[in-house]
């Protein structure tokens, strides 16, 4: 949700943004591949989503490019870019409350964070999770963006919660 003015959603495998005040909907992606899991950046000027392109799930970002454009539903133009490293399976992303980090699952076994301003991903937990189906790995940012609460597996058994420090 973008300050309560827009809502992003995936319909039939493509990302759309709709106004909550008016009957306006804008298509963001138009690909033969499937997109899923969508979230806004803190400032509302970017949308993150996972897309299965070239046989691999990656995280993409579509951003407003003109300063005068405030909403996706009425934007003149926007730009898409891949933000997760090429060749790694990446999906189920969440932007931190302060907007500085993007947490996501990498290769179905690892929780990582990526600076939203660019940079390299940082692993929080490796080989302690495994995603069998979409959305089965839960994690949540703390309100101060310093911690991530998540489930994880250790010594062959599931624990209810663990705190990963970002």
């Amino acid at each position: 949700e973008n300050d309560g003015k827009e809502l992003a959603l995936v319909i039939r495998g493509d990302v759309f943004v709709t106004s909550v005040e008016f009957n306006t909907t804008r298509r963001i992606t138009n690909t033969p591949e499937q997109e899923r899991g969508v979230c806004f950046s803190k400032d509302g000027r970017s949308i993150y989503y996972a897309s299965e392109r070239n046989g691999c799930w990656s995280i993409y970002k579509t951003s407003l490019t003109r300063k005068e454009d405030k909403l996706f539903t009425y934007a003149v133009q926007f730009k898409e870019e891949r933000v997760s490293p090429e060749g790694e399976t990446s999906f189920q992303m969440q932007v931190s409350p302060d907007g500085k980090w993007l947490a996501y699952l990498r290769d179905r076994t690892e929780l990582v964070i990526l600076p939203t301003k660019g940079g390299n991903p940082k692993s929080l937990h490796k080989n302690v999770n495994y995603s069998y189906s979409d959305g089965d790995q839960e994690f949540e940012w703390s309100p101060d963006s310093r911690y991530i609460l998540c489930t994880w597996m250790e010594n062959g058994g599931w624990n209810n919660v663990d705190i990963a420090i970002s």
Side-chain angles (χ1 to χ4, degrees):
E1 190 174 321
N2 184 4
D3 284 338
K5 295 180 181 180
E6 294 182 302
L7 182 67
L9 56 152
V10 176
I11 301 172
R12 295 186 179 143
D14 279 309
V15 177
F16 292 81
V17 174
T18 188
S19 170
V20 297
E21 297 174 348
F22 306 104
N23 292 329
T24 307
T25 300
R26 181 75 181 266
R27 186 177 204 149
I28 303 302
T29 64
N30 188 6
T31 65
E33 298 88 5
Q34 177 184 351
E35 277 83 44
R36 67 178 178 196
V38 61
C39 64
F40 278 99
S41 63
K42 182 170 174 57
D43 65 5
R45 295 189 56 82
S46 296
I47 301 170
Y48 294 94
Y49 47 90
S51 183
E52 187 181 26
R53 300 184 189 173
N54 301 316
C56 185
W57 284 100
S58 296
I59 298 173
Y60 288 82
K61 175 175 77 169
T62 294
S63 302
L64 298 172
T65 56
R66 296 173 359 126
K67 287 184 181 181
E68 53 270 24
D69 287 333
K70 304 296 182 208
L71 300 172
F72 280 89
T73 46
Y74 305 106
V76 174
Q77 67 185 53
F78 37 81
K79 177 180 113 177
E80 182 188 70
E81 61 186 303
R82 185 176 40 78
V83 296
S84 60
E86 190 172 349
E88 71 177 30
T89 300
S90 305
F91 56 87
Q92 197 174 328
M93 57 276 144
Q94 289 183 28
V95 176
S96 62
D98 65 8
K100 295 178 180 178
W101 298 95
L102 183 71
Y104 63 92
L105 289 180
R106 173 166 61 191
D107 295 331
R108 295 191 174 269
T109 62
E110 186 176 10
L111 183 59
V112 299
I113 57 173
L114 177 71
T116 55
K117 298 290 185 194
N120 294 319
K122 175 184 174 185
S123 176
L124 300 181
H125 287 293
K126 189 169 185 171
N127 298 323
V128 293
N129 290 2
Y130 190 81
S131 175
Y132 292 97
S133 64
D134 294 352
D136 67 349
Q137 297 298 309
E138 297 180 40
F139 59 90
E140 188 70 36
W141 284 99
S142 64
D144 64 2
S145 302
R146 293 183 58 210
Y147 305 97
I148 295 178
L149 185 66
C150 65
T151 56
W152 62 288
M153 185 172 52
E154 181 178 49
N155 299 326
W158 286 99
N159 293 308
N160 288 333
V161 285
D162 180 34
I163 297 176
I165 300 174
S166 60

